[in-house]
Amino acid sequence: MVGYVTRRVLSAIPIALIAVTACFFILRLAPGGPFDGERALPPTTLANLRAHYNLDLPLIQQYFIYVGRLLQGDFGPSMVYNDFTVAEMLWIGLPFTLMLGFSAFIIGTIVGLVAGALSAVNQNKWPDYMLVFLVMIGLVVPNFLMAAIMQLVFGVYLDWFPAGGWQAGSIPHLVLPITVLVLPHAGRTARLMRGSMIEVLGTNYVRTAKSKGLGQRLILARHAIKPALLPVVSYLGPGLSYLLTGSLVVEQVFALPGIGKYFISAALNRDYGLVLGTTILYMFIILAVNLLVDILYAWLDPKVRYS
Amino acid sequence: MKQVLQVEDMSVTFELHQSEVHAVREMNFSLAQGETLAVVGESGSGKSQAFLAIMGLLAKNGRAEGRAMMGDINLIGMEPKQLDKHRGKDIAMIFQDPMTSLNPTLKIKTQLSEVLVKHRGFEQSQAVKSATEMLERVGIPEPAKRANAYPHELSGGMRQRVMIAMALLCQPKILIADEPTTALDVTVQAQMLDLFKTLTEDFGTALVLITHDLGVVAGVADRMMVMYGGRAVEKGTTDDLFYDPRHPYTLGLLHSTPHIAKRAERLDPIQGLPPSLEHLPKGCSFNPRCAFAFDRCLVERPPLAPTGNGREKACHYEGPMAYGKVA
């Protein structure tokens, strides 16, 4: 097991390096630069600025300088918010975004698993039809539209929750944004769980368990859940990345102080350092979650362990 | 001899979208303590479904009627909760495919010990100990080590031994083995049959051996029931049916089995295909494939009737039977 985890951690290093490289060059392919504005800067000022941020060097050299700094944990300066380094900017927005994302992730996963399992056990009866209907709604309505509907219905008409904004520590402010994030994630998770649970309940080994007279509860808890979780667990990694990217939009719509605002404006402003820093951080989070998923997978499926 | 299972007028029906399929009809038989009954027939003859019905394991669209009396309780139509008090304890089942019949995510010892915890109220540690002893008894080397293994770490033969151990843990009165050797190597098949014979004798367990392999039947079974198109067509002792088959279908089955004492000639298969249960022929279901069919067979279905000596058959033909090349 230790060997397996070590191998997985080591294999994440080249993946991270490839991702950083790809981000760096793709960003530079985009037209424009951080100092383009409504009014062109005087040429000498522009030249000084570019020299200051090493933008006058050949691209490949800039790349090595960036990676070199990154390896020392330095994300570099923000090119638009001159007074801040990228690390400082991230530190302002990231904790909130992660709190929002992971809350939605945990709630959505649990809701999805329970709903999917209930659906499967009651296959083709009314609780199943109802859940499948709700899941479809969660899946097909895009989050920016769902956010607007939520704001209108629960924020304005019913006035149950604030329609936007943030006060430190206020849970009511979080209810609507988290709901909007939870719906599609829970929907996808439930759909996968329903399908795989139905499949598992039809397997020969569940029939064997029935023939042993174990009773439905024990069969579900001991024999069906673990194998049914396998396909769901492998979805959780990509699922989290959907959720985190979705949260960038949701933060904007609900005017929440996360990293989303900076990320979107940084991309528009070509604030190279900030876009790269945010992307790389997200990448590390997703790599870490995928690693956790793989470890969980090995625990669920004994066949994976030694390979 | 004490009867441990008495099946009376049992039928199994499956509901399809538009129609109903009668997989088993008018099944009657009894099983005495400790005896071995072979249930023989082609695929689709209803032999597996009949016993899945007794175990309460029919698919959702399946329905069983009639009685399967184990003592004074009727297993057919019993609530799953009530049935669970008997399944695995008084009546156990072994399935055809040992590769998929064990849970891949649970250790062998978990899958064995849970039976004892459920039915015997054992403590976990005690249950694991008994389970390990049972593994040794079914001929698994290093049982303590195997008990800690997962199914994928064992070979097919080993897994079927585990299934046998699991079924026999509570020393059931009845053991149903559905094609237990079909998925195994021929060499392993023989070992497995020996194991069945020894263990069921030791425990006084009655064995139902569902198979299409007459070679399996010959060495093990006391009595035979031959099934065709969802019905029993001939019943009797194994010796009687092997040496003096009275139903053309039984005769056909015997002739389509390779025989070591005979010269290697071509096998004599039964002509035609097994019938579709949705469209059984009028009269006797076997009439399109029967060499002895005459006009009565085309209109009137022969009932299963005693022919003396404790034998029963469902056939109108009473004359001598010569079959193909083998007179």
Side-chain angles (χ1 to χ4, degrees):
Chain A
M1 197 69 189
V2 176
Y4 176 77
V5 174
T6 320
R7 269 202 309 279
R8 287 284 312 146
V9 172
L10 289 178
S11 74
I13 294 172
I15 298 174
L17 202 65
I18 291 168
V20 169
T21 311
C23 286
F24 184 89
F25 288 106
I26 287 171
L27 191 59
R28 290 309 180 87
L29 283 175
F35 312 116
D36 296 346
E38 301 263 312
R39 224 172 45 189
L41 292 170
T44 46
T45 317
L46 188 61
N48 281 338
L49 274 170
R50 291 177 62 88
H52 178 71
Y53 292 115
N54 294 327
L55 295 177
D56 53 345
L57 298 174
L59 195 56
I60 193 75
Q61 203 176 337
Q62 293 183 40
Y63 167 73
F64 283 114
I65 292 173
Y66 184 79
V67 173
R69 281 187 183 164
L70 198 62
L71 289 176
Q72 298 162 39
D74 181 5
F75 283 97
S78 164
M79 296 176 192
V80 176
Y81 303 92
N82 320 35
D83 297 336
F84 294 94
T85 66
V86 169
E88 283 167 342
M89 301 282 300
L90 291 177
W91 186 241
I92 297 170
L94 196 72
F96 184 88
T97 299
L98 289 187
M99 185 269 290
L100 191 70
F102 277 100
S103 311
F105 181 67
I106 290 165
I107 296 171
T109 306
I110 293 172
V111 169
L113 290 178
V114 172
L118 278 177
S119 237
V121 174
N122 296 298
Q123 193 194 355
N124 297 340
K125 293 183 200 149
W126 68 265
D128 181 34
Y129 291 131
M130 251 181 52
L131 284 165
V132 169
F133 178 71
L134 285 176
V135 162
M136 283 316 286
I137 290 182
L139 277 178
V140 298
V141 181
N143 55 17
F144 54 87
L145 178 61
M146 186 56 91
I149 294 172
M150 287 277 173
Q151 283 176 322
L152 198 61
V153 175
F154 297 104
V156 179
Y157 293 157
L158 296 172
D159 199 15
W160 289 355
F161 302 105
W166 172 239
Q167 281 165 12
S170 159
I171 289 181
H173 281 87
L174 290 176
V175 171
L176 293 185
I178 286 186
T179 310
V180 171
L181 285 175
V182 158
L183 282 174
H185 179 66
R188 285 194 205 96
T189 311
R191 234 164 63 124
L192 277 171
M193 184 67 182
R194 176 178 184 271
S196 85
M197 192 77 168
I198 286 173
E199 199 184 311
V200 167
L201 290 178
T203 57
N204 284 345
Y205 55 84
V206 165
R207 186 179 62 181
T208 305
K210 280 186 199 161
S211 82
K212 291 195 276 186
L214 293 182
Q216 196 184 17
R217 243 190 233 171
L218 195 57
I219 290 174
L220 287 177
R222 188 179 290 163
H223 285 265
I225 284 195
K226 256 172 93 173
L229 278 177
L230 280 172
V232 186
V233 163
S234 43
Y235 164 71
L236 290 183
L240 180 73
S241 57
Y242 283 133
L243 230 164
L244 290 178
T245 41
S247 79
L248 297 180
V249 177
V250 171
E251 276 170 21
Q252 285 287 78
V253 178
F254 285 97
L256 295 170
I259 207 171
K261 189 171 70 185
Y262 302 117
F263 185 70
I264 292 171
S265 60
L268 295 175
N269 293 334
R270 304 286 185 274
D271 189 344
Y272 297 141
L274 190 51
V275 174
L276 274 175
T278 319
T279 314
I280 288 165
L281 216 66
Y282 269 45
M283 178 194 73
F284 273 115
I285 293 166
I286 287 162
L287 277 178
V289 169
N290 275 327
L291 181 65
L292 280 178
V293 161
D294 281 349
I295 293 169
L296 194 60
Y297 210 93
W299 174 71
L300 286 171
D301 185 356
K303 280 183 222 173
V304 175
R305 270 170 225 182
Y306 309 100
S307 52
Chain B
M1 198 63 118
K2 196 180 146 215
Q3 302 296 323
V4 286
L5 183 68
Q6 230 152 350
V7 172
E8 289 156 18
D9 204 20
M10 186 177 80
S11 66
V12 176
T13 312
F14 287 93
E15 265 173 61
L16 303 183
H17 283 295
Q18 307 270 314
S19 58
E20 284 192 338
V21 170
H22 300 280
V24 179
R25 289 216 236 181
E26 292 167 33
M27 186 180 241
N28 289 283
F29 69 89
S30 61
L31 189 64
Q33 186 180 1
E35 84 167 329
T36 299
L37 170 71
V39 181
V40 180
E42 287 164 301
S43 309
S45 61
K47 55 193 195 303
S48 292
Q49 293 307 330
F51 289 92
L52 286 175
I54 292 171
M55 291 294 289
L57 295 174
L58 285 179
K60 272 184 189 163
N61 61 342
R63 182 179 84 231
E65 281 156 311
R67 285 174 302 283
M69 306 299 294
M70 193 172 65
D72 48 9
I73 55 168
N74 181 8
L75 296 171
I76 303 291
M78 197 180 241
E79 283 296 312
K81 269 203 176 144
Q82 289 299 312
L83 201 53
D84 280 338
K85 290 181 186 162
H86 303 290
R87 289 195 281 204
K89 179 169 171 250
D90 301 321
I91 180 165
M93 189 156 181
I94 293 168
F95 301 95
Q96 175 171 356
D97 188 359
M99 304 313 249
T100 58
S101 293
L102 288 166
N103 191 319
T105 63
L106 296 174
K107 287 184 177 172
I108 301 294
K109 65 175 180 192
T110 313
Q111 303 192 46
L112 289 174
S113 60
E114 63 186 0
V115 181
L116 290 167
V117 173
K118 159 88 190 183
H119 293 299
R120 291 266 189 260
F122 278 25
E123 294 291 324
Q124 183 61 28
S125 58
Q126 194 188 356
V128 171
K129 195 166 156 272
S130 303
T132 314
E133 284 166 14
M134 187 54 91
L135 286 178
E136 182 157 26
R137 200 137 178 204
V138 297
I140 290 185
E142 299 183 85
K145 194 176 147 212
R146 304 286 181 227
N148 266 312
Y150 288 93
H152 72 274
E153 298 171 82
L154 304 183
S155 68
M158 284 293 161
R159 285 188 225 186
Q160 196 61 301
R161 283 175 197 267
V162 170
M163 288 297 291
I164 296 172
M166 195 152 80
L168 291 174
L169 274 173
C170 291
Q171 311 200 352
K173 287 184 246 168
I174 305 159
L175 175 62
I176 299 165
D178 187 1
E179 311 233 7
T181 58
T182 307
L184 303 175
D185 290 344
V186 182
T187 46
V188 182
Q189 283 186 11
Q191 297 169 8
M192 218 54 75
L193 289 173
D194 281 345
L195 190 61
F196 271 117
K197 193 96 191 133
T198 326
L199 288 177
T200 48
E201 268 168 24
D202 288 357
F203 294 146
T205 298
L207 175 65
V208 177
L209 198 60
I210 304 170
T211 182
H212 57 255
D213 184 348
L214 288 173
V216 166
V217 175
V220 187
D222 303 313
R223 285 194 304 136
M224 259 173 89
M225 172 161 72
V226 180
M227 288 188 69
Y228 189 83
R231 295 173 195 270
V233 293
E234 186 164 14
K235 288 199 272 188
T237 65
T238 307
D239 282 349
D240 282 349
L241 264 67
F242 265 71
Y243 294 114
D244 179 22
R246 299 273 173 84
H247 194 287
Y249 179 62
T250 314
L251 184 74
L253 278 181
L254 287 167
H255 277 281
S256 52
T257 305
H259 210 287
I260 202 159
K262 278 188 199 139
R263 289 194 148 264
E265 313 173 347
R266 268 176 177 278
L267 281 176
D268 233 336
I270 304 174
Q271 299 301 317
L273 294 170
S276 148
L277 290 169
E278 272 177 278
H279 309 285
L280 281 181
K282 203 163 176 279
C284 174
S285 310
F286 189 56
N287 75 48
R289 307 170 72 185
C290 182
F292 310 100
F294 57 108
D295 43 7
R296 192 177 166 198
C297 303
L298 303 181
V299 287
E300 187 190 333
R301 189 171 47 75
L304 187 68
T307 58
N309 250 342
R311 302 182 58 167
E312 288 173 69
K313 72 161 183 173
C315 182
H316 294 306
Y317 182 75
E318 297 293 347
M321 290 198 295
Y323 193 86
K325 282 172 276 186
V326 198

